Amino acid sequence: MAVKNYIEAITDALALEMRRDERVFVMGEDVGVRGGVFRATAGLLDEFGPQRVLDTPLAEAGIVGTAIGAALNGMLPVAEIQFVDFILPAVNQIISEAAKIRYRTAGDFHCPIVIRAPYGGGVHGALYHSQCLEALFTHVPGLKVVTPASPYDAKGLLLSAIRDPDPVLFFEHKRCYRLLKGDVPADDYTVPIGKVAVRREGSDITVFSYGLMLHFCQEAAEDLASEGISVHLVDLRTLLPLDRESILAAASRTGKALIVHEDNKTHGIGAEVAALISEEVFFDLDAPIMRLCGPDVPAMPYSSPMEKYYMLDQKKIADKMRELAAF
Amino acid sequence: MTPEKYRELGLTGEQVRDMYRLMVLARELDKRTWLLNRAGKIPFLVSCQGHEGAQVGAAAALEVGTDLLCPYYRDIAMVLAFGMTPTELMLSNFARAADPNSGGRQMPGHFGSRRLGILTGSSAVGTQITHAVGAALAARMRGETTVVMTCFGEGSGNQGEFHEAANFAGVHKLPVIFFCQNNRYAISVPLEKQVGGGSIAARGQGYGMPGVRVDGNDVLAVYETVRDAVLRARQGEGPTLVEAMTYRLVPHSSDDDDSTYRSREEVEAAKRDDPLLRFGRYLRNVGVMTEADQEALLQKTLAIVDAAVSEAEAAPSPAPESTLEHVYAATREEH
């Protein structure tokens, strides 16, 4: 098994599925000759040609709308939005169209598109190259929202996303791209959408996270282990639909739940996970459900001290874990 | 139009009679929905009255069964030409379970049918224009000769998605007909307050395609223009923007009152240029139909409309709990 980084795993999945299924093609800004500004589509133009690796005009609604039209006419497009911050012009297409096509036609049409977008901060990306916008979309039935946290999952979940008959937003934490390396099988495998992964078995507190924060949680959990606190760490992986059963079982296991995400707190993923736990397994809890999230400010500033203040890190997370464990 | 225009265009008497039949059918279905709405039987309608000539002329230039349509909400005559039946349209008006467009989920005028090659649309105007471009891209990737027609009003010609779609199609020379039905009003806002430069067709040049303005109340002129555009598209020469100038003879929808924004004199003048009357008169003048033929057709059409209404009204509504269905695929198998 080869060791690959997170972005290589994504390229691997795209190439594999394009070889396997002629209906699959990629489109977006700079995905062709440049191979993507992050190089996620590097090499695809040479192998598959300009018909299946489309450099598009700089117009996000057009990219997503065109992908939807192609999907309605039998293709399986994978559209890249260069940064999730720029997905907003396409929101009408995503929410009014893609999410509702199956529903509004009572199943006559469906919309098998994948929209890939890098998200997240800690890369000096400032307000418009750092955002986490997943919560905008997890409120929309009809969409699926996937946020892999490892190279293995990036490939397996992307293959699942392309093979999924419904629209999938595939959000890749841009700091994970070259930070994370791991074993990635060369062959075809899938990781199911809608299933969590337990990253660490523990007995004192349960922590839910995803994306880059999952890794900070992992490091923090190791710190706590040396102090004798045992953390049960769950990678949500899919934010819509949530893996309800696994989340409830993990919360009940320790009776203490913490949700950690980089996105700001109010109306975020943590709110939904907390509400789910308190609705369903309230009497299994030994402490209030806690959340540790980005601050409720419009976006992440450019200045390094401000960015560091905004971002969660191993220490902030470890402190919050201790607070919950001590309750 | 010259007396023999239809023959010069290569159309037969049978074909032009059928075009007229579709226009009459669309008009009478539309008129009936107003009655049903005012009688409290259907909550809402959007009307196609005045647009029938443009729609039938354009549809006649396409190959139904091969070509695809991304329609907008006024395309009643267009979808009839694509094979939707009067009963199916009435099932949609009554929001019945058997409505093929949406199973009673969408408002009337939100057409879609995989069987008929009509791609589903929403109420957010202009979104369908980008879908047409994507559908054309897909067809070309597979080496098919399909042409995709997308319809929209001049109001939607101001949406970003029109411009993004036109540009994409222009760059990639895709087989798309951008068919703007310019009825001079976006609900109440007149053309001069909507369109800088006054012409949607002129915008084609900026996107690398011909932009053609045509009298949308002249069925055969529309046919000729769209036929040429289809030919270009099928030969790989790229998209065309057609702006058919017409007029909406009635309010925008059942909830609109057009007397608040346009004079009765203006509407009465437009009615004298009604494409249905014009084409009927032309067919009589060239001897393709007599007045008696047209009266007989009208009576036959009214009977079809009656039957469609009866059948749709009697059809069952969707089960209330089916509200929860069709959010995601039930299984992974269909893909």
Side-chain angles (χ1 to χ4, degrees):
Chain A
M1 202 181 297
V3 172
K4 293 195 173 193
N5 66 31
Y6 185 101
I7 199 161
E8 287 165 342
I10 286 163
T11 314
D12 219 32
L14 291 170
L16 187 150
E17 201 61 0
M18 289 176 78
R19 279 178 215 126
R20 201 184 73 91
D21 190 334
E22 284 198 338
R23 298 173 298 170
V24 179
F25 71 98
V26 300
M27 61 187 295
E29 295 156 14
D30 304 297
V31 301
V33 177
R34 173 77 185 119
V37 295
F38 289 100
R39 316 288 291 144
T41 53
L44 297 184
L45 181 67
D46 288 342
E47 183 172 352
F48 301 103
Q51 285 266 22
R52 294 180 72 196
V53 185
L54 256 82
D55 274 323
T56 64
L58 201 169
E60 288 80 6
I63 292 170
V64 175
T66 304
I68 291 170
L72 293 177
N73 193 15
M75 302 300 281
L76 300 176
V78 181
E80 177 176 307
I81 297 294
Q82 201 159 74
F83 289 84
V84 83
D85 314 64
F86 309 132
I87 206 170
L88 297 175
V91 165
N92 192 31
Q93 286 288 345
I94 296 169
I95 295 183
S96 295
E97 306 299 319
K100 293 176 176 60
I101 280 171
R102 179 185 296 283
Y103 191 77
R104 77 187 186 204
T105 63
D108 190 28
F109 285 98
H110 63 285
C111 186
I113 61 166
V114 176
I115 300 170
R116 294 180 39 251
Y119 77 103
V123 296
H124 306 297
L127 283 80
Y128 300 103
H129 300 77
S130 300
Q131 293 177 47
C132 295
L133 294 180
E134 54 271 21
L136 285 184
F137 299 103
T138 51
H139 190 62
V140 182
L143 299 178
K144 296 183 180 183
V145 180
V146 177
T147 50
S150 73
Y152 181 91
D153 279 1
K155 178 171 172 181
L157 278 167
L158 184 51
L159 288 171
S160 287
I162 300 171
R163 294 172 196 176
D164 196 284
D166 289 300
V168 180
L169 300 181
F170 194 87
F171 292 151
E172 304 157 4
H173 199 293
K174 65 177 81 69
R175 192 150 159 226
C176 291
Y177 276 156
R178 295 177 198 283
L179 181 72
L180 302 180
K181 291 183 171 57
D183 286 334
V184 178
D187 54 348
D188 186 346
Y189 69 92
T190 56
V191 170
I193 292 174
K195 293 288 173 204
V196 306
V198 175
R199 296 298 180 196
R200 188 187 178 96
E201 300 264 341
S203 54
D204 292 326
I205 65 170
T206 301
V207 178
F208 300 94
S209 192
Y210 58 92
L212 179 66
M213 293 306 114
L214 189 273
H215 297 279
F216 293 171
C217 287
Q218 231 156 359
E219 291 163 355
E222 280 160 29
D223 291 349
L224 266 71
S226 63
E227 301 164 19
I229 299 170
S230 167
V231 175
H232 190 70
L233 180 60
V234 177
D235 180 356
L236 290 172
R237 297 201 290 192
T238 297
L239 305 181
L240 183 68
L242 281 175
D243 183 356
R244 295 168 54 101
E245 291 68 26
S246 302
I247 289 168
L248 296 175
S252 294
R253 177 182 172 121
T254 66
K256 291 182 175 181
L258 166 67
I259 305 108
V260 177
H261 57 65
E262 179 181 328
D263 196 4
N264 64 300
K265 181 187 275 187
T266 303
H267 293 290
I269 305 301
E272 183 58 33
V273 172
L276 176 65
I277 294 168
S278 63
E279 247 177 6
E280 300 291 335
V281 294
F282 183 77
F283 293 108
D284 292 344
L285 296 179
D286 298 321
I289 301 167
M290 293 185 182
R291 288 181 285 167
L292 182 66
C293 312
D296 283 318
V297 298
M300 196 175 302
Y302 186 48
S303 144
S304 288
M306 292 175 87
E307 182 184 80
K308 197 165 167 13
Y309 181 88
Y310 185 111
M311 287 292 284
L312 301 179
D313 59 24
Q314 188 176 337
K315 181 179 179 307
K316 291 176 192 174
I317 294 170
D319 287 347
K320 193 72 180 176
M321 287 176 171
R322 287 188 196 100
E323 182 190 337
L324 179 60
F327 188 90
Chain B
M1 55 192 116
T2 59
E4 296 304 310
K5 171 108 184 178
Y6 78 92
R7 275 192 213 147
E8 290 162 18
L9 292 172
L11 294 167
T12 65
E14 192 184 333
Q15 282 173 308
V16 289
R17 270 194 297 275
D18 196 55
M19 290 162 77
Y20 181 70
R21 176 190 67 81
L22 281 171
M23 291 172 67
V24 173
L25 180 58
R27 175 66 57 91
E28 293 305 324
L29 282 164
D30 193 292
K31 284 162 67 180
R32 188 63 59 88
T33 57
W34 282 95
L35 290 177
L36 292 166
N37 173 260
R38 296 313 189 226
K41 292 194 172 189
I42 62 171
F44 181 78
L45 69 90
V46 275
S47 186
C48 80
Q49 290 186 43
H51 290 235
E52 298 93 338
Q55 292 175 15
V56 168
L62 295 167
E63 273 182 36
V64 172
T66 300
D67 294 335
L68 299 175
L69 176 67
C70 292
Y72 84 132
Y73 51 85
R74 285 198 206 287
D75 277 338
I76 295 171
M78 187 74 82
V79 299
L80 284 169
F82 264 71
M84 198 164 289
T85 69
T87 300
E88 288 171 337
L89 285 171
M90 282 297 168
L91 286 165
S92 164
N93 286 322
F94 281 97
R96 298 308 196 218
D99 157 34
N101 299 283
S102 77
R105 291 172 176 217
Q106 292 231 66
M107 285 176 148
H110 293 59
F111 309 109
S113 165
R114 177 178 290 281
R115 171 179 59 95
L116 300 175
I118 302 171
L119 272 52
T120 171
S122 73
S123 307
V125 300
T127 51
Q128 78 281 7
I129 308 173
T130 60
H131 302 172
V133 172
L137 180 70
R140 196 173 64 186
M141 282 176 170
R142 293 193 296 260
E144 298 164 357
T145 56
T146 308
V147 171
V148 186
M149 162 158 293
T150 182
C151 304
F152 53 96
E154 82 288 351
S156 304
N158 300 316
Q159 284 283 6
E161 274 143 323
F162 161 74
H163 295 274
E164 295 189 22
N167 183 54
F168 196 109
V171 168
H172 291 280
K173 290 201 172 307
L174 292 171
V176 181
I177 316 294
F178 296 88
F179 189 64
C180 176
Q181 298 175 37
N182 183 342
N183 66 19
R184 297 169 46 192
Y185 287 91
I187 304 187
S188 68
V189 182
L191 187 59
E192 57 272 19
K193 285 189 186 170
Q194 290 186 64
V195 179
S199 164
I200 297 290
R203 295 175 175 181
Q205 192 185 358
Y207 299 119
M209 72 181 85
V212 188
R213 181 177 265 196
V214 60
D215 178 355
N217 294 338
D218 181 341
V219 187
L220 296 181
V222 174
Y223 169 78
E224 183 175 20
T225 302
V226 176
R227 183 197 62 181
D228 293 348
V230 168
L231 194 66
R232 287 189 71 246
R234 251 193 257 290
Q235 289 172 345
E237 291 167 31
T240 304
L241 171 58
V242 178
E243 181 182 25
M245 302 304 292
T246 185
Y247 194 85
R248 159 165 57 76
L249 298 173
V250 292
H252 161 71
S253 76
S254 49
D255 296 334
D256 182 30
D257 175 3
D258 67 336
S259 69
T260 59
Y261 54 83
R262 58 187 187 182
S263 72
R264 294 307 86 189
E265 294 72 25
E266 179 186 304
V267 177
E268 287 311 310
K271 283 180 177 170
R272 287 192 288 278
D273 195 37
D274 181 342
L276 187 61
L277 299 181
R278 264 174 75 173
F279 200 45
R281 200 159 52 231
Y282 169 78
L283 294 178
R284 291 195 302 276
N285 288 344
V286 295
V288 170
M289 293 185 94
T290 65
E291 206 163 342
D293 291 338
Q294 292 182 349
E295 179 57 27
L297 174 68
L298 178 62
Q299 292 311 318
K300 199 173 154 191
T301 302
L302 289 171
I304 289 167
V305 174
D306 287 344
V309 171
S310 302
E311 195 179 333
E313 197 170 7
S317 288
E321 57 276 16
S322 71
T323 298
L324 302 180
E325 294 170 1
H326 300 300
V327 180
Y328 298 103
T331 69
R332 297 287 298 272
E333 289 162 26
E334 66 178 270
H335 199 34

